[in-house]
Amino acid sequence: MRQGSPGDSAPREPAPGDPALPNPFVHELHLSRLQQVKFCLLGVLLAPIRVLLAFIILFLLWPFAWLQVAGLTEEQLQEPITGWRKTVCHNGVLGLSRLLFFLLGFLRIRVRGQRASRLQAPVLVAAPHSTFFDPIVLLPCDLPKVVSRAENLSVPVIGALLRFNQAILVSRNDPASRRRVVEEVRRRATSGGKWPQVLFFPEGTCSNKKALLKFKPGAFIAGVPVQPVLIRYPNSLDTTSWAWRGPGVLKVLWLTASQPCSIVDVEFLPVYQPSPEESRDPTLYANNVQRVMAQALGIPATECEFVGSLPVIVVGQLKVALEPQLWELGKVLRKAGLSPGCVDTGAEPGRSRMISQEEFARQLQLLDPQTVAGAFSYFQQDSSGLVDFRDVALALAALDGGRSLEDLTHLAFELFAEEQAEGSGRLLYQDGFSTILHLLLGSPRPAAMTLHAELCQAGPSHGLSLVPELLPP
């Protein structure tokens, strides 16, 4: 048993911003000429048959999944299913699921360590989460309960399997949904072994396995012991990773099915017993378990996570995008042959000027409608579909390689700082500050607003003034 230490915290080595820190959201698959030939041949001969048979097995799972819950009321589904339904349907789904992965090429599932009982560890946490093939970890775990998006209930077959699993469902559109999920996780985890174990992928999204993403606290809110489960794919060529930027679903599926044999290693680590401090603080608990799993995997534990549609990392008190959308805007403009430094923006300092997409195209001298739409979408629009031209001016200035950091800082302040009624200078308020950081660094606005509030605590006003002497040289 692993006892948590009160002072533990997740390691930050290498530190955020260190060039040695791998970007866990990018996966590049480089194939040699020989490998390309091999995949072309096997892709034609092996992959179609495997994928077709796997889809047939997937649809054969539906009757077993349906039979287990058929005729049961919502009240009955609030308790674990027992009896013949449990025996017949559980074993049927377990056997067909193993056959499905076998047909996709996962001929071996190598298991190390010993899975704890539901009394020893009501919660399982699996990492790294790198692919849509990761549900294979359900098999050596004897199909534990999972947490899934409520929207997946409408997906054919997948929805039936979630009902069969009595999954805990969370809706992104319902603010109260997360609270209900927390209560349900706590109810099951503290049932004294009445419910099967609950499986979490605490990273919440897929990475390339080169670093562990920040663990979300949901699996640790109940404060009960958890068992970490490591997932490895020790194959000579990594065809399984499905990261934010890299091969898409079809390519990953096709290349993996073209492999003669894919191997999966599942390792059960010792049960992690939380300290009293960790039981009261789910974030501390999550950080410490992340550290233990990262050490066992031999990879960094990071604070990288997804916020909205962007991967971010924590730098001090601020969340900064690993790949700000500003860079993508620069690619779009350069592809259109536009040099940001040659554009005369004419934005008025301290005053917003809302422009339409048509005026945006005229100002930037863009002719291609697709390029215009793509570039315009990078800026926050109001309810009328207009953008503030100050945003455009600052973005173009940042993309202009001829400007120094001091010049860019002065421009940002001039554009977004507001004149005081008493004539005592200009101050940068929360909205302008968060807009600047969002445009230049990709920082989520709530994180920037929090930082602004902390910075203003030291002064009498609610705005920031520019002190040229403190700017970097």
Side-chain angles (χ1 to χ4, degrees):
M1 299 292 184
R2 166 63 164 83
Q3 175 67 39
S5 173
D8 285 352
S9 62
R12 299 296 164 238
E13 296 181 356
D18 189 325
L21 178 66
N23 186 337
F25 297 102
V26 177
H27 176 57
E28 297 180 359
L29 185 61
H30 300 290
L31 300 177
S32 66
R33 184 64 60 87
L34 181 60
Q35 288 172 327
Q36 291 177 11
V37 173
K38 184 188 78 170
F39 275 108
C40 284
L41 293 175
L42 293 178
V44 171
L45 300 175
L46 192 59
I49 298 174
R50 278 181 163 175
V51 172
L52 176 62
L53 291 176
F55 271 100
I56 292 175
I57 297 301
L58 182 64
F59 281 96
L60 287 178
L61 284 166
W62 180 82
F64 287 94
W66 174 83
L67 183 61
Q68 176 164 292
V69 298
L72 297 181
T73 64
E74 289 298 323
E75 289 74 15
Q76 290 174 312
L77 291 175
Q78 297 305 309
E79 298 297 327
I81 293 174
T82 58
W84 67 269
R85 293 176 184 266
K86 169 72 173 178
T87 303
V88 174
C89 300
H90 179 89
N91 291 333
V93 169
L94 183 62
L96 286 174
S97 298
R98 180 64 191 98
L99 178 59
L100 184 149
F101 282 104
F102 183 87
L103 291 173
L104 286 174
F106 295 93
L107 307 186
R108 297 181 61 188
I109 303 177
R110 302 189 302 205
V111 179
R112 291 189 290 173
Q114 184 174 0
R115 181 171 67 96
S117 69
R118 62 181 69 176
L119 284 173
Q120 294 172 317
V123 174
L124 303 172
V125 288
H129 187 19
S130 63
T131 176
F132 48 81
F133 292 121
D134 283 342
I136 196 171
V137 77
L138 291 166
L139 303 181
C141 295
D142 195 31
L143 301 185
K145 307 306 179 184
V146 299
V147 179
S148 178
R149 292 186 304 162
E151 293 79 4
N152 289 335
L153 281 177
S154 60
V155 179
V157 182
I158 301 299
L161 289 173
L162 290 175
R163 293 186 183 90
F164 155 84
N165 184 261
Q166 292 181 282
I168 301 172
L169 302 175
V170 57
S171 174
R172 295 180 177 179
N173 300 322
D174 182 3
S177 175
R178 293 186 182 276
R179 178 179 54 80
R180 290 195 296 268
V181 167
V182 168
E183 293 173 353
E184 182 63 15
V185 170
R186 184 178 286 112
R187 182 178 77 90
R188 296 191 187 190
T190 57
S191 65
K194 180 180 177 181
W195 276 93
Q197 291 165 311
V198 181
L199 174 68
F200 283 85
F201 290 97
E203 293 172 289
T205 191
C206 292
S207 68
N208 58 14
K209 302 187 286 284
K210 294 181 181 179
L212 279 189
L213 307 183
K214 180 179 177 63
F215 280 11
K216 299 183 183 302
F220 309 93
I221 287 177
V224 298
V226 303
Q227 183 170 33
V229 184
L230 308 182
I231 311 173
R232 299 182 178 93
Y233 296 85
N235 303 293
S236 58
L237 185 65
D238 182 9
T239 62
T240 60
S241 289
W242 182 49
W244 175 67
R245 197 181 73 196
V249 175
L250 294 179
K251 186 173 183 179
V252 169
L253 177 62
W254 195 262
L255 290 177
T256 303
S258 299
Q259 290 269 54
C261 174
S262 295
I263 300 173
V264 182
D265 280 347
V266 177
E267 181 179 0
F268 293 97
L269 296 183
V271 173
Y272 190 105
Q273 298 281 353
S275 66
E277 290 80 4
E278 290 170 324
S279 295
R280 293 190 295 268
D281 186 348
T283 299
L284 175 65
Y285 191 0
N287 288 344
N288 291 340
V289 174
Q290 181 202 31
R291 175 181 58 80
V292 169
M293 297 180 73
Q295 289 177 345
L297 290 163
I299 59 177
T302 73
E303 291 207 4
C304 297
E305 61 177 324
F306 248 85
V307 175
S309 60
L310 281 178
V312 304
I313 189 170
V314 174
V315 179
Q317 298 297 314
L318 188 66
K319 293 181 178 180
V320 178
L322 283 174
E323 297 194 6
Q325 290 184 333
L326 181 65
W327 298 356
E328 296 297 325
L329 174 62
K331 293 178 184 178
V332 171
L333 297 180
R334 286 193 297 271
K335 188 176 180 180
L338 179 68
S339 175
C342 298
V343 178
D344 182 16
T345 55
E348 296 185 48
R351 293 186 179 182
S352 62
R353 179 162 68 91
M354 309 306 292
I355 63 170
S356 65
Q357 183 168 311
E358 292 73 19
E359 187 176 354
F360 174 83
R362 287 196 301 271
Q363 290 281 352
L364 271 65
Q365 303 170 19
L366 294 174
L367 301 177
D368 178 49
Q370 187 173 357
T371 301
V372 173
F376 193 74
S377 66
Y378 287 104
F379 301 98
Q380 184 175 12
Q381 301 177 26
D382 65 9
S383 57
S384 302
L386 305 178
V387 303
D388 191 335
F389 198 58
R390 292 179 300 174
D391 296 8
V392 180
L394 181 60
L396 294 178
L399 292 171
D400 179 11
R403 287 182 178 267
S404 67
L405 178 58
E406 183 176 356
D407 289 340
L408 190 61
T409 304
H410 272 288
L411 176 63
F413 187 85
E414 286 298 318
L415 287 174
F416 292 96
E418 298 180 21
E419 192 75 39
Q420 300 305 292
E422 302 82 9
S424 56
R426 297 163 61 85
L427 291 178
L428 185 62
Y429 292 105
Q430 200 172 60
D431 287 344
F433 182 79
S434 61
T435 297
I436 292 171
L437 294 190
H438 181 71
L439 279 171
L440 300 185
L441 301 178
S443 302
R445 293 179 186 273
M449 289 181 176
T450 300
L451 178 61
H452 183 275
E454 292 181 0
L455 292 174
C456 288
Q457 285 179 355
S461 68
H462 295 290
L464 300 174
S465 60
L466 183 66
V467 183
E469 292 79 7
L470 298 180
L471 290 176

